[in-house]
């Protein structure tokens, strides 16, 4: 790769201007933190007065909101501008081989997604009277923006091009991180104002923080069409279309059914996939929002493929099933990548969509089976099977009541259940394994004493994985966790275990890393569906069983 030549003096001046602008933005962000701290302290000092005089309370809250809204918009705008500038510079790059060219094509898509979600974040801050009720959504978007940039970088083979791409995105990632930090600080401090007031007003605040349910027990954001679907007797909704390989349905392929979704369809679109093995790459595009796909069972209605890294396909593009459209629900479906362990990275499903739900589904592969790429995701009563890093990505994801099945790898390979990819400490992402069973499959069972198996390893610097209230069978190595390489991330990661059981759950011989924790109940509560996914806002749906809190 070669860069376009720039005039040295002009480049130094441009760099200086950018540095001055960054300093102004950072100064603004720091100032907003100080301002909020002062206002919060004032609010605490005048609790009695504020409880009697709503005018002062409202004035302070409004003042703090308008100031911080401006700083937050500036921080997000800065991230957007930096990202645009960084990507524009890549137009002067000359790529040396087809692998770099293909990686760049992936980057174009990822950058479009990042820009779209930065725009959505700015609009949300501007349009809402207070953005505190949109905090989970904002954090999800901005965390994903960081993930998209890192995914772009990861797609390039090792070498100078990858190093240069990484440098290009440093500033935009930093500003996005600052935006996340500011949102966290703002919502924390503004909650101080909401806590100040009469008992009547406090009660109203508490009520407004809960999900509003109608007379049928549905959240108020569920539309008329969703209510019609969810009222159907039994767990399975009435389909809009049916897919059947034998020709008895509306379509013979899943892709044909997806192509027939009306462009302006209102409500939830339901596709019933009858029993059969469907050998096709399926993509739920970003335009296909609120799609439900269900089958006759996770070992009956199966989508399969065999794209893989060894055959020249980038990991990002190997997935048999891809979900980009938000609000997706999958039930009683199977997703496979049958490339085998000798083909290395081969993804069965890649999920990028926000508020994605899978229930009673099965994901089968070997290395990199399930790519939980970004946003908020929930898996209930699912089976995930694989060998190396078979659950990986940078989503905020909870696996609940699932079976994580470790398969027999190639000779001299180790098994690793998770490889979480959090790249920034401000991201609200991580893998939570709650009330699951981690077990060996039939082929591994007689060989498990010869194969080392670990709960996870740090794919990125701030990797975060929590295993709690789960059953861990005797296949897990006493260390529990495996380094990625040398000392990388061992001080910055967050790995935790809480109240697990089974012969593999003993923590007495676990790794002695700064980032490893055996946590108590108070800490574990941070990683429940209620707190980690804000699940009360979007998972209260009939037909999807959810445990919002700890079991004990």
């Amino acid at each position: 790769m070669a860069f376009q030549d720039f005039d040295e003096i002009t480049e130094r001046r441009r760099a200086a201007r950018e540095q001055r602008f960054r300093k102004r933005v950072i100064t603004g962000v720091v100032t907003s933190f100080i301002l909020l701290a002062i206002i919060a302290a004032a609010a605490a000092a005048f609790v009695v007065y504020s409880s009697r005089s709503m005018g002062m309370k409202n004035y302070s809250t409004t003042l703090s909101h308008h100031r911080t809204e401006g700083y937050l918009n500036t921080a997000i705008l800065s991230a957007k501008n930096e990202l645009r500038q960084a990507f524009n510079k890549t137009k002067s790059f000359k790529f040396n081989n087809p692998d770099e060219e293909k990686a760049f094509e992936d980057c174009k898509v990822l950058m479009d997604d990042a820009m779209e979600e930065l725009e959505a974040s700015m609009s949300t801050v501007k349009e809402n009277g207070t953005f505190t009720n949109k905090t989970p959504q904002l954090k999800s978007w901005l965390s994903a923006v960081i993930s998209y940039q890192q995914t772009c970088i990861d797609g390039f083979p090792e070498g100078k091009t990858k190093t240069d791409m990484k440098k290009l995105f440093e500033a935009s990632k930093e500003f996005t991180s600052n935006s996340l930090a500011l949102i966290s600080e703002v919502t924390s401090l503004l909650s101080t104002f909401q806590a100040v007031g009469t008992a009547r007003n406090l009660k109203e605040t508490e009520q407004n923080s809960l999900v509003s349910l109608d007379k049928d027990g549905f959240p108020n954001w569920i539309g008329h069409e969703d209510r019609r679907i969810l009222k159907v007797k039994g767990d399975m909704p009435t389909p809009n279309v049916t897919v059947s390989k034998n020709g008895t349905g509306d379509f013979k392929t899943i892709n044909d059914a997806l192509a027939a979704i009306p462009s302006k369809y209102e409500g939830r679109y339901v596709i019933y996939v009858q029993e059969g093995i469907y050998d096709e790459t399926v993509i739920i595009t970003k335009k296909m929002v609120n799609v439900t796909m269900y089958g006759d069972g996770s070992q009956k209605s199966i989508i399969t493929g065999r794209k893989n890294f060894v055959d020249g396909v980038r990991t990002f593009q190997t997935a048999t099933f891809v979900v980009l459209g938000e609000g997706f629900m999958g039930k009683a479906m199977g997703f496979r990548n049958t490339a085998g362990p000798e083909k290395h990275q081969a993804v069965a499903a890649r999920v990028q969509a926000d508020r994605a739900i899978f229930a009673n589904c099965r994901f089968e592969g070997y290395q990199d089976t399930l790519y939980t790429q970004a946003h908020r995701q929930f898996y209930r009563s699912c089976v995930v099977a694989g060998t190396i890093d078979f659950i990986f990505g940078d989503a905020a994801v909870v696996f609940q009541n699932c079976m994580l099945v470790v398969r027999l790898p190639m000779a001299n390979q180790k098994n690793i259940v998770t490889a979480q990819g959090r790249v920034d400490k401000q991201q609200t992402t991580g893998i939570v394994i709650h009330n699951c069973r981690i077990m060996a499959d039939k082929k591994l069972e007689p060989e498990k004493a010869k194969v080392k198996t670990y709960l996870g390893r740090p794919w990125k610097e701030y990797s975060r994985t929590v295993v709690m209230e789960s059953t861990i069978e005797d296949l897990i190595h006493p260390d529990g966790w495996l380094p990625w390489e040398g000392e990388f991330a061992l001080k910055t990661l967050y790995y935790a275990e809480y109240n697990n059981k089974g012969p593999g759950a003993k923590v007495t011989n676990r790794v002695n890393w700064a980032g490893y924790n055996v946590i108590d109940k108070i800490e574990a509560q941070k990683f429940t569906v209620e707190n980690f996914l804000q699940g009360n806002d979007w998972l209260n749906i009939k037909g999807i069983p959810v445990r919002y809190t700890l079991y004990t």
Side-chain angles (χ1 to χ4, degrees):
M1 182 202 74
F3 286 95
Q4 180 181 353
D5 291 329
F6 293 99
D7 180 80
E8 187 175 351
I9 297 176
T10 301
E11 181 65 13
R12 284 204 304 268
R13 289 174 178 172
R14 182 198 60 76
R17 286 197 302 271
E18 289 185 358
Q19 185 63 27
R20 288 195 297 271
F21 175 70
R22 290 171 188 167
K23 286 182 178 179
R24 286 199 301 272
V25 173
I26 292 171
T27 300
V29 171
V30 172
T31 301
S32 73
F33 285 151
I34 296 172
L35 174 65
L36 285 168
I38 293 171
I39 293 172
F46 290 99
V47 167
V48 175
Y49 178 76
S50 297
S51 65
R52 295 177 180 175
S53 175
M54 291 301 297
M56 174 63 75
K57 173 176 175 285
N58 289 339
Y59 172 77
S60 298
T61 305
T62 301
L63 174 63
S64 63
H65 167 69
H66 285 307
R67 292 280 186 93
T68 54
E69 177 191 286
Y71 287 130
L72 180 54
N73 261 315
T74 300
I76 298 174
L77 177 61
S78 300
K80 178 185 170 185
N81 289 339
E82 287 285 350
L83 182 60
R84 180 186 290 112
Q85 290 175 18
F87 198 68
N88 283 343
K89 290 177 184 178
T90 63
K91 295 176 181 178
S92 64
F93 284 19
K94 292 182 180 179
F95 300 108
N96 296 322
N97 55 64
D99 288 341
E100 291 184 351
E101 292 173 355
K102 291 175 182 177
F104 185 64
E105 291 304 311
D106 290 341
C107 279
K108 290 179 181 178
V109 176
L110 289 162
M111 291 308 100
D112 283 345
D113 290 342
M115 294 297 289
E116 181 180 326
E117 294 186 26
L118 286 169
E119 288 279 4
S121 298
M122 292 180 63
S123 296
T124 296
V125 173
K126 290 178 181 178
E127 292 173 5
N128 284 274
T130 173
F131 55 79
T132 52
N133 63 326
K134 294 291 185 180
T135 294
Q137 181 68 79
L138 286 168
K139 288 182 176 180
S140 179
W141 281 332
L142 293 174
S143 293
V145 169
I146 294 176
S147 296
Y148 295 149
Q149 294 174 71
Q150 187 61 49
T151 302
C152 167
I153 295 166
D154 289 342
F156 287 88
E158 294 297 329
K160 188 177 186 302
T161 302
K162 186 170 187 174
T163 300
D164 290 335
M165 291 293 290
K166 184 177 180 180
K167 289 179 181 178
L168 272 183
F169 289 121
E170 282 178 354
S172 57
K173 288 168 70 176
E174 180 182 355
F175 278 118
T176 309
S177 177
N178 288 343
S179 301
L180 276 166
L182 184 54
I183 290 171
S184 296
E185 191 70 15
V186 168
T187 53
S188 174
L189 292 175
L190 289 184
S191 66
T192 303
F193 298 115
Q194 295 172 349
V196 178
T198 64
R200 178 181 62 81
N201 290 316
L202 178 58
K203 183 176 180 181
E204 290 175 352
T205 301
E206 291 171 343
Q207 289 175 341
N208 289 334
S209 70
L210 301 176
V211 176
S212 178
L213 303 179
D214 66 12
K215 61 183 178 63
D216 294 314
F218 295 112
N220 58 7
W221 55 266
I222 294 288
H224 173 74
E225 185 69 8
D226 285 346
R227 286 175 167 79
R228 178 189 66 79
I229 291 169
L230 295 171
K231 285 181 181 179
V232 175
K233 185 177 181 180
D235 286 339
M236 299 306 179
T238 301
N240 293 85
V241 296
T242 298
V243 180
S244 176
K245 290 185 71 69
N246 62 19
T248 59
D250 301 293
F251 302 97
K252 289 186 177 182
T253 71
I254 297 169
N255 278 311
D256 285 344
L258 291 172
I261 297 177
S263 59
K264 296 183 179 180
Y265 187 81
E266 296 290 336
R268 183 164 287 279
Y269 197 84
V270 181
I271 300 172
Y272 166 41
V273 181
Q274 291 186 352
E275 181 175 353
I277 297 178
Y278 298 82
D279 191 352
E280 49 183 314
T281 299
V282 176
I283 301 176
I284 310 296
T285 68
K286 294 193 77 172
K287 294 181 179 180
M288 299 174 184
V289 298
N290 297 323
V291 170
T292 291
M293 183 180 293
Y294 73 91
D296 288 323
S298 64
Q299 298 190 75
K300 293 182 178 180
S301 300
I302 299 166
I303 303 173
T304 188
R306 53 179 297 106
K307 292 180 182 178
N308 61 84
F309 183 79
V310 170
D311 287 346
V313 182
R314 299 171 310 288
T315 303
F316 183 73
Q317 297 289 2
T318 62
T320 301
F321 186 74
V322 179
V323 184
L324 307 177
E326 70 174 37
F328 176 84
M329 288 198 293
K331 300 181 71 175
M333 290 288 301
F335 309 97
R336 291 178 181 170
N337 191 311
T338 61
E342 68 278 3
K343 295 295 186 178
H344 298 184
Q345 296 94 325
V347 178
R350 174 167 65 89
V351 184
Q352 180 182 309
D354 192 25
R355 296 183 292 111
I357 303 169
F358 290 86
N360 300 311
C361 289
R362 190 177 186 93
F363 304 85
E364 296 180 59
Y366 287 88
Q367 184 171 350
D368 292 0
T369 302
L370 178 56
Y371 188 178
T372 56
Q373 183 185 346
H375 296 119
R376 294 168 290 179
Q377 305 176 22
F378 179 67
Y379 297 76
R380 171 77 183 206
S381 302
C382 292
V383 176
V384 188
T387 54
I388 300 171
D389 306 336
F390 65 91
I391 299 172
F392 75 109
D394 194 22
V397 55
V398 174
F399 294 87
Q400 192 174 88
N401 291 37
C402 293
M403 294 175 63
L404 309 184
V405 182
V406 184
R407 308 179 81 173
L408 183 66
M410 295 173 63
N412 301 318
Q413 285 187 333
K414 300 178 178 70
N415 283 324
I416 306 102
V417 178
T418 67
Q420 206 280 327
R422 184 166 166 252
V423 297
D424 189 283
K425 64 182 178 181
Q426 299 297 342
Q427 287 181 287
T428 56
T429 58
I431 295 172
V432 177
I433 298 170
H434 187 203
N435 197 44
C436 295
R437 179 179 292 274
I438 301 173
M439 58 186 293
D441 80 348
K442 293 180 180 179
K443 290 185 178 180
L444 176 62
E445 186 64 37
E447 304 291 331
K448 63 186 178 184
K450 304 174 184 178
V451 179
K452 292 182 179 180
T453 300
Y454 299 87
L455 294 171
R457 61 175 178 166
W459 185 25
K460 301 299 178 185
E461 189 173 1
Y462 292 92
S463 181
R464 178 162 61 180
T465 302
V466 178
V467 183
M468 59 188 194
E469 297 188 313
S470 293
T471 299
I472 306 175
E473 296 190 357
D474 61 355
L475 72 161
I476 297 297
H477 190 278
D479 288 351
W481 307 84
L482 182 71
W484 186 269
E485 184 178 5
E487 297 293 312
F488 172 74
L490 302 188
K491 295 180 180 179
T492 51
L493 60 77
Y494 181 90
Y495 287 166
E497 297 181 58
Y498 169 73
N499 200 26
N500 297 307
K501 59 184 178 180
K506 296 177 182 179
V507 297
T508 51
N509 294 314
R510 288 293 195 251
V511 293
N512 187 26
W513 301 341
Y516 171 73
N517 307 271
V518 177
I519 58 177
D520 58 20
K521 185 173 184 177
I522 294 175
E523 181 75 7
Q525 286 171 342
K526 297 177 182 178
F527 301 100
T528 60
V529 168
E530 178 180 35
N531 295 320
F532 191 62
L533 294 184
Q534 300 79 44
N536 288 5
D537 294 335
W538 58 281
L539 280 171
N540 196 359
I541 301 174
K542 289 184 178 180
I544 303 294
V546 183
R547 178 77 181 192
Y548 292 96
T549 60
L550 296 171
Y551 282 87
T552 57

